[in-house]
Amino acid sequence: MRVIVLGVALALICILPGEGSAQLPSRDWRPDERVVIGDFRTINAVATAYDRVFAISPWQLLIWRPGFGEWEGPFDPPDPRFLQGVTAALADPLDNSVWMARPTGWTRYEPDLRLWSAGNVPAGVFAIAFDLANPAGGLLMRTREGWLELPRGGLSPVPASAPQQPI
């Protein structure tokens, strides 16, 4: 009976905030020991690369690494509007980043650099593609006014023709 009471007393000390040392600051945990739970009840788009799968919700991005059996993320964009309304996603075959189409533009996330970028397209974006006939070309976006290409490293799309061999 005393062991049970002592166990309950120790459990209460660990639960109650304050003077006990039960709660360790987050700096004492390695990044791979931390778990951040996001809201992934709604997935707007999925993109696959040879070594990862990207899942995009309206609020966060999550990466599954099947070769390692590990999840990475969730990753929050610097501006919540970067993921709102995402309708399609495509993994870049050259650098394993993920491109996302939004009704008002595009968003890109580079997981190796943890870098977000985004831009607006006044004519809206309905579909995105890469062209196998031009592997070094940029992202192709289908809009109300036709096809646009966002050159690699560019921030402003330019008029383009439809992809010959779309991915």
Side-chain angles (χ1 to χ4, degrees), residues 1-132:
M1 184 73 167
R2 290 182 187 169
V3 174
I4 293 174
V5 172
L6 180 60
V8 171
L10 286 174
L12 286 175
I13 290 171
C14 291
I15 293 171
L16 296 175
E19 290 137 25
S21 62
Q23 294 183 349
L24 298 175
S26 62
R27 64 179 171 77
D28 292 340
W29 295 87
R30 294 191 320 255
D32 59 332
E33 293 175 330
R34 299 178 190 167
V35 175
V36 178
I37 299 174
D39 183 0
F40 285 93
R41 291 176 290 179
T42 303
I43 300 295
N44 289 353
V46 174
T48 60
Y50 73 93
D51 67 340
R52 58 190 87 182
V53 178
F54 299 93
I56 296 99
S57 83
W59 307 277
Q60 295 173 315
L61 181 136
L62 194 63
I63 300 172
W64 169 247
R65 303 285 299 254
F68 298 103
E70 295 178 349
W71 288 97
E72 293 178 9
F75 301 102
D76 296 308
D79 184 340
R81 293 176 291 182
F82 284 7
L83 294 179
Q84 291 176 350
V86 168
T87 56
L90 187 60
D92 192 323
L94 293 184
D95 65 3
N96 287 325
S97 62
V98 62
W99 292 86
M100 294 158 268
R102 298 179 285 117
T104 59
W106 56 271
T107 299
R108 181 178 185 213
Y109 179 67
E110 298 178 61
D112 297 333
L113 302 174
R114 300 204 179 204
L115 181 65
W116 291 88
S117 55
N120 291 326
V121 176
V125 177
F126 299 106
I128 56 176
F130 288 106
D131 192 350
L132 284 175

Side-chain angles (χ1 to χ4, degrees), residues 131-151:
D131 192 350
L132 284 175
N134 182 13
L139 178 72
L140 295 166
M141 298 178 279
R142 187 171 154 233
T143 70
R144 279 186 227 106
E145 298 173 356
W147 286 91
L148 297 176
E149 181 178 3
L150 183 65

